[in-house]
Amino acid sequence: MRPLARQELPTKAVFYSKDTSVSHKIMASASEDVETTRGDGGESPNTKDDEKKEESLLECNICLDTAKDAVVSLCGHLFCWPCLHQWLETRPNHQVCPVCKAAISKEKVVPLYGRGSTKQEDPRDKVPPRPAGQRTEPEPGNNFSGFGFGDSGFHMSFGIGAFPFGFFTSTFNIGEPRPNVGPHGSPQYMEEQFLSKVFLWLALLFIAWLLYA
Amino acid sequence: MAQNINPFLEQQTTGIVKENDISKRPQSDSHAVTKRLHKELMTLMMSPDKSISAFPEGENLFRWIGTIMGPKDSVYETLKFKLSFQFPNSYPYTAPLVKFITPCFHPNVDTNGNICLDILKDKWSALYDVRTILLSIQALLGEPNIDSPLNALAAETWSKKDDYHKYVMDMYKEVQIN
């Protein structure tokens, strides 16, 4: 956990030092002194101190408490969703990250789901639910393979001609690609081959019977 | 809990409002504020920095008295300034009202103790706390913003060190609170 703190503090200082206003310079020096005190604490073998530091890494930047219904801004700063929501509501025309003043918005925060985080959700009457995480489905593989009718999607057959001689038929197949043919050598493949042969012979027998009848 | 009620809220409760109605929403809010102020008080008390300090005034957690020592190598170096903090119910989403109690001759402080500091106005962020405000004001003492003065005389004399020092000392008098 400690390298995280190390990384975060200097970036703050860099940001503030870019800005020329007095107050920001002060913030830079303030965060530097936070860094030094943290560094000192790290050297001592005091486990209580270490625990405290690790906890403070997961504290909301607004209420200074452990973040509940945690969300992270795209600039990487952690907040409770109710806290951040109220901050955004306070200044709807000027939505900036309280820590680094980067532009943020309700749509551009990422919720953090820890283990069992859904259980401890408290009923919040006026705060809207925190935005849901976005999940995109993986692209379906483009493995269309030729013959056989699938059992999904929409199929339409269309033909001209007397019953047995349906030679001018066409098939519309709209929707999902057909299910894959089983890989070569697998039991599914063998079965399919067998069935297709059986039906081919049946069809030929049927045609022959019609001709001779 | 009773002593930690925002003065603004107190005024409301003395009105017509029924017991059940008031305590629902504002109390959960003010509870969050109290909690945060408690945390800030803890960090300030643990802080090794001797040049700044702050403590709630009396029983009410929404009013604090802060103290800063003048920054080193400035005219204010040996002086001790007291400031009053008044926290709104919307803290930390809006800045507290901070004023000098000790008279202070400074370009960005007027005769009533009002302070012109960007982070207390439009640059306020919920991340700032009593400690960073005190540090900011301390730094402001040493580096005034001459371009937007509240005290024009102080802004003019800033460059003349001897005159400025005299003004500062004339105006300064230590204030005892309780």
Side-chain angles (χ1 to χ4, degrees), chain A residues 169-187:
Chain A
T169 58
S170 56
T171 299
F172 294 100
N173 198 352
I174 303 163
E176 298 288 296
R178 291 168 192 169
N180 301 339
V181 175
H184 281 259
S186 74

Side-chain angles (χ1 to χ4, degrees), chain A residues 63-77:
Chain A
C63 66
L64 313 180
D65 214 338
T66 309
K68 282 177 193 147
D69 293 330
V71 292
V72 166
S73 61
L74 288 191
C75 45
H77 298 112

Side-chain angles (χ1 to χ4, degrees), chain A residues 21 23-27 30 33-34 52 59 61-62 64-65 83 86-87 90-91 98-99 101 126, chain B residues 25 29 35-36 39-40 46 92-94 118-119 122-128 131-132 135-136 139 143:
Chain A
S21 88
S23 55
H24 288 148
K25 271 189 262 167
I26 301 150
M27 285 307 296
D33 89 51
V34 168
K52 221 176 175 182
E59 275 172 9
N61 281 293
I62 294 176
L64 313 180
D65 214 338
C83 292
Q86 197 163 344
W87 171 250
T90 320
R91 46 199 70 212
V99 183
K101 314 225 155 140
K126 54 177 186 167
Chain B
R25 271 250 214 93
D29 279 5
K35 205 170 166 191
R36 170 157 163 160
K39 286 217 160 218
E40 286 192 31
M46 308 283 272
Y93 304 101
T94 46
D118 57 356
I119 63 154
D122 54 319
K123 292 276 168 59
W124 171 255
S125 162
L127 183 73
Y128 297 149
R131 199 181 77 92
T132 52
L135 284 172
S136 303
E143 291 177 57

Side-chain angles (χ1 to χ4, degrees), chain A residues 178-194:
Chain A
R178 291 168 192 169
N180 301 339
V181 175
H184 281 259
S186 74
Q188 193 196 348
Y189 177 79
M190 303 290 272
E191 201 176 353
E192 273 164 4
Q193 290 294 307
F194 172 74

